[in-house]
Amino acid sequence: MLVDVLVLGGGAAGLFCAATAGARGRSVLVLEHNARVGQKIAISGGGRCNFTNIHAAPENYLCAQPDFPKSALARYTPADFVALVEKHGVRYHEKKLGQLFCDGSSREIIALLTHECADVGAQVFTDCKVQAVEAVNHDNTARFLVRTNRGVFHARSLVVATGGLSFPKLGASDLAYRLARQFGLRVTRLRAGLVPLTFAGDTLALCQELSGVALPCVVRAAGEKSGPAFRENLLFTHRGISGPAVLQISSYLPDHVAGSALICDLLPDASPDAEPWLRAARGRDAQLANFLAERLPARFAVAFAGAAAARPLRRFSDAELAALARRLRAWTLRPSGTEGYPKAEVTLGGVDTRELSSKTLEARTVPGLHFIGECVDVTGQLGGYNFQWAWASAHAAGEAV
Ligand SMILES: Cc1cc2nc3c(=O)[nH]c(=O)nc-3n(C[C@H](O)[C@H](O)[C@H](O)COP(=O)(O)OP(=O)(O)OC[C@H]3O[C@@H](n4cnc5c(N)ncnc54)[C@H](O)[C@@H]3O)c2cc1C
């Protein structure tokens, strides 16, 4: 079978690229190894798919070449995808911080994508296992040959959209990275991103004791190049910490998470100096834990105060209050690791962007070969940014193939 465009992977980027190329009159076939397309879309956003973020900008992405995502993001914007969502009558709302979610179910986004493909005649083969990919030269009609359990396919353009390594139980594979290397393209270091952090020893015991408690705070990575700070909830779990603030900061910790540190400001709404607040309370005869519980979750306040929980504030010296104030503004946690790909929302790193055109996502040295979506070294922050990269990179390639 010969097609203009063969897309490997029927996820967010692959389906949208197929629809975009099909709308330009290209014959398109998507090969998906799962029994169903869009499995990650289905579970995303807690089943309601946070399909974009209205504030998406290049600054919301991690990439070794920070300018790389600019072109694709500028040419297919959140407003463009919102217009498509509205065309399909999918109802949505902004939850917070520009994050747009379906009112109903993520399945509506999958239906939108499959309808867009069907409308332009882009075909999708599921249960299709890719066995080998070869470069060929058939009178310029085909440049690639793909062997699968469902036959041999020839195509003039090959778009690799098989995603990253996170959530292997949903069919994640390393095919994109293997193909990149097969064609001589570099792949950057890969690691789990947007992932819960784990702890050992006393901190693990503390996390287990507080499991289920959510703590609003501002979190940043320790160190000179600490990157952005995130004001969100931190959630204690049986293995460590999770929640939006932690998932966000996990992507900014050094490669070897063990040995790194994150700093939590537990009083994000207080004036810069917490000390006057503590000193002023000395006259009230309150115990430390009870007093802290006015601003912190009660269970956390008791654990944070530790042996001093029942000590009245009036019995704290100035130096002790100063130390307490510093600890409240910069509570430091040292994770021992992460929960890894099984729990990570994304894979950090990917096909090296120096190998690709930022306009078309085509490999500079292999005409007709494109990489899009999560398999590229472009990783968004939490909050709809990753789907926006999937749409934008898919659109850029779909317009070029
Ligand atoms: C639990 C969870 C929740 C998330 N929630 C959000 C959210 O709300 N908002 C957001 O922006 N991002 C979210 N993400 C991230 C988002 O899902 C991904 O960034 C996005 O799906 C990437 O799109 P993609 O098309 O590159 O990859 P995918 O959507 O993963 O698609 C890749 C496709 O390729 C297929 N495939 C893989 N290997 C092969 C192979 N060898 N042969 C054939 N097919 C193959 C896969 O089965 C899959 O269908 C979430 C991720 C997870 C894990």
Side-chain angles (χ1 to χ4, degrees):
M1 185 173 175
L2 171 68
V3 289
D4 294 326
V5 185
L6 203 54
V7 179
L8 306 184
L15 292 173
F16 193 53
C17 181
T20 308
R24 293 174 51 244
R26 301 289 185 265
S27 58
V28 186
L29 175 61
V30 179
L31 306 182
E32 165 60 50
H33 70 169
N34 280 341
R36 277 178 298 165
V37 295
Q39 298 256 52
K40 247 181 218 174
I41 302 173
I43 58 152
S44 68
R48 290 218 160 88
C49 187
N50 178 193
F51 56 81
T52 193
N53 190 300
I54 54 176
H55 305 307
E59 299 74 62
N60 301 112
Y61 294 86
L62 285 131
C63 175
Q65 286 187 295
D67 285 345
F68 182 85
K70 275 186 182 167
S71 172
L73 290 171
R75 285 177 296 131
Y76 193 83
T77 65
D80 292 324
F81 196 75
V82 168
L84 187 63
V85 163
E86 289 178 353
K87 179 183 128 190
H88 285 262
V90 177
R91 295 169 67 88
Y92 64 94
H93 61 279
E94 179 181 344
K95 197 169 169 190
K96 58 179 176 178
L97 306 169
Q99 303 166 4
L100 302 190
F101 284 74
C102 298
D103 287 358
S105 156
S106 301
R107 305 235 166 248
E108 293 171 80
I109 299 296
I110 302 174
L112 172 160
L113 293 167
T114 51
H115 283 141
E116 285 289 311
C117 285
D119 283 351
V120 297
Q123 283 183 279
V124 180
F125 283 8
T126 52
D127 286 316
C128 189
K129 319 278 178 220
V130 175
Q131 291 155 347
V133 175
E134 296 162 28
V136 291
N137 192 353
H138 288 181
D139 302 332
N140 220 19
T141 51
R143 293 187 286 205
F144 301 95
L145 177 156
V146 177
R147 294 181 201 282
T148 75
N149 60 322
R150 294 190 61 180
V152 176
F153 303 95
H154 288 86
R156 191 168 153 66
S157 296
L158 183 67
V159 180
V160 184
T162 50
L165 299 173
S166 62
F167 267 63
K169 67 179 179 190
L170 293 185
S173 84
D174 65 352
L175 181 63
Y177 313 122
R178 279 192 281 124
L179 288 178
R181 291 186 184 113
Q182 177 189 327
F183 284 94
L185 312 181
R186 287 165 292 185
V187 174
T188 68
R189 193 183 155 83
L190 306 173
R191 71 178 171 95
L194 299 181
V195 64
L197 300 175
T198 54
F199 290 87
D202 289 350
T203 316
L204 174 62
L206 176 86
C207 293
Q208 289 171 335
E209 184 190 329
L210 294 174
S211 180
V213 172
L215 181 66
C217 57
V218 175
V219 181
R220 65 189 161 85
E224 271 170 35
K225 292 189 194 161
S226 59
F230 295 96
R231 186 188 173 138
E232 279 272 15
N233 273 350
L234 176 158
L235 179 71
F236 293 97
T237 73
H238 282 291
R239 285 177 296 274
I241 54 174
S242 187
V246 172
L247 299 183
Q248 293 282 31
I249 211 65
S250 70
S251 296
Y252 292 86
L253 295 177
D255 278 2
H256 295 288
V257 170
S260 67
L262 48 125
I263 314 273
C264 310
D265 180 351
L266 304 176
L267 300 174
D269 290 322
S271 61
D273 194 359
E275 217 181 313
W277 171 62
L278 292 168
R279 282 193 198 207
R282 272 207 289 216
R284 287 174 39 197
D285 204 26
Q287 294 177 343
L288 177 62
N290 290 342
F291 175 70
L292 292 177
E294 291 175 15
R295 293 214 183 171
L296 300 171
R299 275 170 66 198
F300 177 78
V302 172
F304 182 85
R311 195 169 153 201
L313 272 172
R314 69 182 141 72
R315 299 223 333 255
F316 280 74
S317 68
D318 285 353
E320 284 173 322
L321 282 189
L324 182 62
R326 281 197 299 276
R327 201 167 148 240
L328 283 164
R329 298 316 291 257
W331 188 49
T332 304
L333 290 167
R334 298 182 193 284
S336 56
T338 77
E339 292 203 28
Y341 290 118
K343 291 287 170 67
E345 286 204 8
V346 287
T347 300
L348 286 161
V351 178
D352 194 320
T353 51
R354 288 173 298 179
E355 307 282 11
L356 305 176
S357 154
S358 63
K359 296 203 168 45
T360 62
L361 284 297
E362 186 178 21
R364 292 184 187 284
T365 52
V366 189
L369 179 64
H370 300 249
F371 290 85
I372 59 171
E374 194 179 322
C375 68
V376 178
D377 173 30
V378 174
T379 307
Q381 295 172 348
L382 187 78
Y385 301 103
N386 283 297
F387 279 132
Q388 187 57 36
W389 170 248
W391 317 135
S393 59
H395 189 264
E399 287 288 321
V401 287

